[in-house]
């Protein structure tokens, strides 16, 4: 069973920075087709923040372009989200997402448990 383990959330002042990490922990990963981050603010729907696809494309929400950067370490099956110039509207629970095929050739979507990011003075 694949698990996505997130870390790095917390409280930060407006204009500050945080770095989130997400590791796909399992001994049975065959391939990762997409991996990235979504977020959900109170009273709002979950939305894409940034992700990588297997085709090499990187997608960002318009609201974070120029401020957030996604990166990855393929050897560790880990993605990172560097968040700079944080705003109060970035406050949300951030969820790691992975479209992963395991060694049994079973492919499905996986979600982490979420990590809270709060931007407040």
């Amino acid at each position: 069973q694949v698990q996505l383990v997130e870390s790095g959330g917390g409280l930060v002042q407006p204009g500050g920075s945080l770095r989130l990490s997400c590791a796909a922990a399992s001994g049975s990963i065959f391939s990762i087709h997409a991996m990235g981050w979504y977020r959900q603010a109170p009273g709002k729907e979950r939305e894409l923040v940034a992700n990588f696809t297997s085709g090499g494309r990187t997608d960002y929400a318009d609201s974070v372009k120029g401020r957030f950067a996604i990166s990855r370490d393929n050897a560790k099956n880990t993605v990172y989200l560097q968040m700079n110039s944080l705003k109060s509207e970035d406050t949300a629970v951030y969820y790691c997402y992975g479209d992963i095929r395991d060694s049994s050739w079973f492919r499905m979507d996986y979600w982490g448990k979420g990590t809270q990011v709060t931007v407040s003075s």
Side-chain angles (χ1 to χ4, degrees), residues 7 19 39 48 50 56 62-63 66 76 103 111-112 114 117 119:
S7 62
R19 188 189 193 213
R39 68 185 180 187
L48 173 70
D62 288 342
S63 60
K76 296 180 179 180
S103 57
W111 292 91
V117 172
V119 184

Side-chain angles (χ1 to χ4, degrees), residues 50-92:
N51 73 345
F52 287 107
T53 67
S54 59
R57 189 179 75 244
T58 302
D59 296 321
Y60 288 94
D62 288 342
S63 60
V64 307
K65 286 180 180 177
R67 299 188 298 121
F68 291 10
I70 190 170
S71 60
R72 60 186 170 182
D73 184 332
N74 291 332
K76 296 180 179 180
N77 292 327
T78 298
V79 294
Y80 306 94
L81 184 69
Q82 179 65 42
M83 304 185 293
N84 299 325
S85 302
L86 282 160
K87 305 175 182 180
S88 58
E89 50 262 45
D90 295 316
T91 295

Side-chain angles (χ1 to χ4, degrees), residues 29-44:
I29 294 173
F30 180 82
S31 58
I32 296 177
H33 298 267
M35 197 166 175
W37 296 92
Y38 283 70
R39 68 185 180 187
Q40 188 166 20
K44 295 187 177 181

